[in-house]
Amino acid sequence: MSVTSPAETAARTPFLKPLIWALILFLCVTPFLLIFAVSFGHKIEGASWEWGFSFANYQRVFVGASWPDEITFLYLQKLYYSLYYAVIASVLAVLTAFPFTYLMTGLSRRAQSAWLVFILASLSLSEVFIVMGWDVLLSNRSGLPMVFKETGLTAWLKEVGWFDTLREWGLANPRNVKFKTSVFATVLTMAYLVWPYAVILLYPPLSRLDRSMVEAAQTMGAGPGTVMRTVILPSVRLPLAGAILLLFVFLLGVYVAVTVFAEPAKQTMAVSVYEAVRGNTLNAPFGAAQAVVLLITAGIFLVLGQWLSRRGTS
Amino acid sequence: MTRMNRRTLLKTAGSVAGMAAASSVIGTPLIAQERSLKIGSYGGYFENSFKEFVYPAFTEATGIAVESVTQPNSTDWLVTMTQATQAGNVPADLSLYARDTMIKASRIGGLLAPLNTKAMPATSNLDPYFVFEDTTGPIGVGAMSWFSAMVINPEEVEAPTSWAEFWDSSKFEASLGLSKNFNSQFLDIIAATFFEGEATFATKDGIMALIEKAAEIKPNVALWWSAESQMEQSMKNGDVIGGQYYLDVSNLMALDGFPIKPIFPKEGNPQDYGSWCLSSISDKGDEAAEFINFSSDPATQALMSRKIGTAPLVAQSKTDLTDDEFAFVSGTPSIKPAYEAYLDYETFIKESWDKMLAGA
């Protein structure tokens, strides 16, 4: 704590507060308003777009461009996959980071800070880099499929007939197993991407957890499962839900992992937004409309999550 | 780039300051009094080859210094140039546009300046198809062309004689790599293989027939690539054993020993080309004309074929390319993409194609 209180500082610099507000408005609200305004624009077929005021782009998001002659839920399908990957990957990341972080907080101070530095350092890896790494790991000649082939696992799978099942699931071609493109690879990479964040988000509540409560429960005869269920989990329920929500929102916008690991039928709205704005059609208004719908959906989920966790505490 | 700057610098200013600037990468302020031109080209191997072979030859011939500018591709570049033109300051005087992007730029209007073809006598070597005129005059002159060819992994499959064999699941189940992009000319291949070619694009029903045919190949496609590097990696790794990919890059990969072989099946491969287009707010029209003239010269076309792997826009007989060299970068027949239809039915084709991919 500093010696001067915030009120005193504000009294001495009367312009500071409005200045900060102006900055926040400019940095956060302007881009959003711009996107919002663009989303009502009009696409000129074969060229670019112009400013306008029509709801055609929003209509297209829900029923497609040829409505009412024809109806398609193509873009809602993309929205569904945005939510699908984000929910699964964020839950997966938090569920796996939780035991790790719990065990980590039981280590010595020195070991804890070593782990934290390592995890913070891994955040410097960009999405592109991580996707590249997993791409290599899952590739036919350099990754997991090669291991399958060399260890004889592929031959064994073919022998017992499970290989055909894998082919039906799209996880094999006639020669070997394949993990790209698949939901498995997409979710795995996305969970990996946010895993360090999950640890960092869970670390403060778990390190504040009073270990004597755990010991007390144990001396009273509670097994590890019971301790986890009745002591640890209830006390960190809110941070857990908060971490999942934050990672969920973060994952809604993932682009590289989805373009590389998901087949076109299972790609997300973020990819569709990018294609509309920067792709061959130069349809920024349609991209903006999709972005607004995605944003509103994320907002609804956040409010819902907040409401659920508040209801859980009361 | 570094080498070229150093050479021009040593020629003009032998001062201590000049030497100091030469050791830095860009010595632009010192050569500002010279004639110069900013030229955009697709980044990576392509741009590097231009910087190493084409620009130095041009500077030697004309004394005009070239500053190379990296373009990600032509569509993204069109967005950049549109915004830059509005802002009144463009990153490049001349840039490369694929034909569809150039037509799009022409339809948007106000982005490209008409070229003075009288100042470029060498353009007469080119087929008139490669000099694109709109209502304002000639706005693009062909720079070089490229094929996106059928490729296979020769260690895994025998060379097909027709594109139709890619639909055969007994050979290619979950094994092909095709572009995810609706206008990457796969529809042109289908039109040439199963329908009446470009004429099929004339109606929406025709286009739907093409897309329905494309839907039938989906079980054989393991990768719908959006970035070139994805296809490159997948061919190298054996994740896919065939598909559609650039002829020049495939040949280079094959030279490096990777299992890839480009093929000209009986229907041919789609041929696309890039044009030099001058920004409407550039004041380097004269320098640009000299460069386009230089680029249209059969000797330069041959140089690009040899060093960059692009197909020449002039007849082989006008160049000194050997048959082997020519076959490395070009072939017959060539499928000419239905550029206008892709633009006239833009939203319709894009959404129908995406629906086909998504199964929605």
Side-chain angles (χ1 to χ4, degrees), chain B residues 50-277:
Chain B
F50 262 103
K51 288 199 289 201
E52 198 172 340
F53 305 108
V54 181
Y55 299 153
F58 172 67
T59 306
E60 206 164 293
T62 62
I64 299 173
V66 174
E67 191 182 323
S68 186
V69 178
T70 308
Q71 288 180 228
N73 53 41
S74 61
T75 357
D76 273 344
W77 191 245
L78 181 57
V79 182
T80 309
M81 288 300 276
T82 310
Q83 286 160 357
T85 307
Q86 279 162 4
N89 187 10
V90 283
D93 302 301
L94 265 189
S95 3
L96 269 182
Y97 286 80
R99 188 176 172 103
D100 55 345
T101 319
M102 175 173 64
I103 298 177
K104 186 167 258 196
S106 152
R107 291 188 182 186
I108 293 172
L111 296 176
L112 304 177
L115 299 164
N116 177 13
T117 39
K118 285 202 190 74
M120 326 166 178
T123 52
S124 60
N125 292 308
L126 272 54
D127 185 307
Y129 176 78
F130 296 118
V131 180
F132 182 79
E133 292 194 23
D134 70 358
T135 49
T136 61
I139 55 160
V141 172
M144 80 295 281
S145 97
W146 54 85
F147 284 85
S148 58
M150 166 190 270
V151 294
I152 55 148
N153 181 332
E155 293 168 12
E156 298 283 354
V157 278
E158 280 181 28
T161 55
S162 161
W163 280 99
E165 289 180 45
F166 271 1
W167 271 258
D168 183 354
S169 284
S170 66
K171 270 191 199 163
F172 291 105
E173 182 196 330
S175 306
L176 296 175
L178 295 177
S179 168
K180 199 186 103 180
N181 210 336
F182 75 103
N183 62 358
S184 60
Q185 293 143 20
F186 189 62
L187 288 175
D188 299 280
I189 292 171
I190 296 176
T193 308
F194 300 101
F195 298 89
E196 283 85 53
E198 204 180 329
T200 314
F201 282 89
T203 61
K204 283 193 177 182
D205 287 343
I207 293 168
M208 276 319 289
L210 296 174
I211 291 177
E212 276 159 23
K213 190 68 200 172
E216 291 172 18
I217 206 175
K218 278 170 67 182
N220 292 357
V221 181
L223 171 77
W224 292 97
W225 52 274
S226 44
E228 231 179 288
S229 57
Q230 278 177 280
M231 181 62 180
E232 184 188 328
Q233 282 306 321
S234 296
M235 278 307 291
K236 284 182 181 173
N237 286 324
D239 289 325
V240 299
I241 59 166
Q244 187 196 355
Y245 199 50
Y246 299 105
L247 177 69
D248 50 338
V249 189
S250 314
N251 272 320
L252 286 171
M253 282 166 65
L255 275 187
D256 284 341
F258 291 106
I260 184 169
K261 187 178 173 205
I263 289 169
F264 269 82
K266 63 181 185 202
E267 299 86 9
N269 286 317
Q271 182 181 19
D272 203 352
Y273 77 98
S275 299
W276 297 118
C277 297

Side-chain angles (χ1 to χ4, degrees), chain A residues 5 19 92 122 148 157 171 193 224 226 237 243 251 289:
Chain A
S5 74
L19 200 73
L92 190 68
S122 74
F148 269 63
L157 283 169
L171 288 175
L193 202 63
T226 319
R237 198 176 49 210
L251 285 173

